[in-house]
């Protein structure tokens, strides 16, 4: 679930704690400069102390960035938002796609979330947008087939959202103290 972190001196009512100084580069990210290379840059995604630190893109379809990097240099693909997800991360669940590379790049480090110790050392995913830094706390980790309901946008009623949350938690190979509600953003 995301937690909006303060990017200024004043206290942010959505935040429980300020952004750690080691992550200050997220507040200073110049997304407009990245957009000069690619207008589809939506933000930046980062998990501290991992290789996961990349531009986050969104195209009109989910095919564009499967085999195209954000700057078009090679065919490894990019980290990108589901084309139907709201670019302001306002959906109940926002889907982010990326390849799980064997060398640990892109989403390659996510395979380590099968260990409880790894979750304890890497509990957050940060997403920078033009005007804020969001912090998502990891509450579930599991491998899902490509046809799984995991890859469904849940926009229905609270009962459907609750069933999805229960599926995510029960499928997890990890125990997390964090359990989101239907009012949270995942």
């Amino acid at each position: 679930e995301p937690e909006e972190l303060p990017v200024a001196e004043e206290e942010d009512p959505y935040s429980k704690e300020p952004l750690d100084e080691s992550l200050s580069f997220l507040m200073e990210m110049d997304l407009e400069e990245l957009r000069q290379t690619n207008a589809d840059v939506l933000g930046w995604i980062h998990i501290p102390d991992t290789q996961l630190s990349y531009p986050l893109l969104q195209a009109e379809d989910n095919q564009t960035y499967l085999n195209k990097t954000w700057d078009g240099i090679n065919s490894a693909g990019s980290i990108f938002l589901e084309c139907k997800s709201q670019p302001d991360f306002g959906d109940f669940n926002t889907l982010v796609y990326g390849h799980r590379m064997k060398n640990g790049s892109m989403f390659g480090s996510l395979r380590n979330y099968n260990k409880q110790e790894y979750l304890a050392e890497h509990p957050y995913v940060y997403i920078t947008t033009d005007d804020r830094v969001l912090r998502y706390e990891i509450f579930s980790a599991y491998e899902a087939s490509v046809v799984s309901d995991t890859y469904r946008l849940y926009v229905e009623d609270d009962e459907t959202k609750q069933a999805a949350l229960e599926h995510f938690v029960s499928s997890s190979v990890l125990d997390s103290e964090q359990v989101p509600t239907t009012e949270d953003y995942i």
Side-chain angles (χ1 to χ4, degrees), residues 26-182:
L26 292 172
M27 295 183 304
E28 298 160 6
M29 188 76 51
D30 188 350
L31 298 175
E32 280 303 320
E33 184 175 324
L34 296 177
R35 285 189 196 105
Q36 291 177 14
T37 301
N38 185 332
D40 288 341
V41 170
L42 181 64
W44 194 271
I45 186 168
H46 177 76
I47 297 179
D49 301 318
T50 71
Q51 292 185 48
L52 182 56
S53 192
Y54 294 95
L56 180 60
L57 307 164
Q58 187 176 36
E60 292 182 13
D61 61 59
N62 290 331
Q63 303 301 311
T64 300
Y65 293 108
L66 278 176
N67 298 306
K68 178 181 172 186
T69 60
W70 79 278
D71 57 5
I73 290 179
N74 66 36
S75 63
S78 297
I79 306 293
F80 61 97
L81 211 65
E82 157 68 43
C83 67
K84 295 177 184 171
S85 287
Q86 295 299 314
D88 66 356
F89 300 89
D91 291 319
F92 167 66
N93 66 314
T94 299
L95 300 176
V96 180
Y97 301 121
H99 294 299
R100 187 175 67 176
M101 304 297 282
K102 290 181 181 178
N103 68 2
S105 64
M106 295 182 67
F107 279 171
S109 61
L110 297 185
R111 73 174 46 90
N112 297 317
Y113 281 101
N114 65 354
K115 301 176 199 92
Q116 197 69 37
E117 314 81 58
Y118 193 82
L119 174 63
E121 294 169 3
H122 306 91
Y124 303 116
V125 177
Y126 294 89
I127 294 180
T128 300
T129 66
D130 285 317
D131 58 354
R132 59 191 173 159
V133 176
L134 298 170
R135 181 177 72 185
Y136 289 82
E137 187 165 355
I138 297 169
F139 72 94
S140 177
Y142 60 95
E143 288 194 38
S145 77
V146 294
V147 294
S148 168
D149 278 349
T150 298
Y151 301 106
R152 179 177 157 201
L153 290 172
Y154 291 92
V155 295
E156 295 91 357
D157 55 52
D158 283 351
E159 185 177 315
T160 305
K161 291 177 184 178
Q162 185 60 43
L165 289 171
E166 289 171 10
H167 169 73
F168 300 152
V169 171
S170 67
S171 298
S172 184
V173 298
L174 302 172
D175 294 322
S176 173
E177 294 177 15
Q178 188 71 321
V179 177
T181 71
T182 59

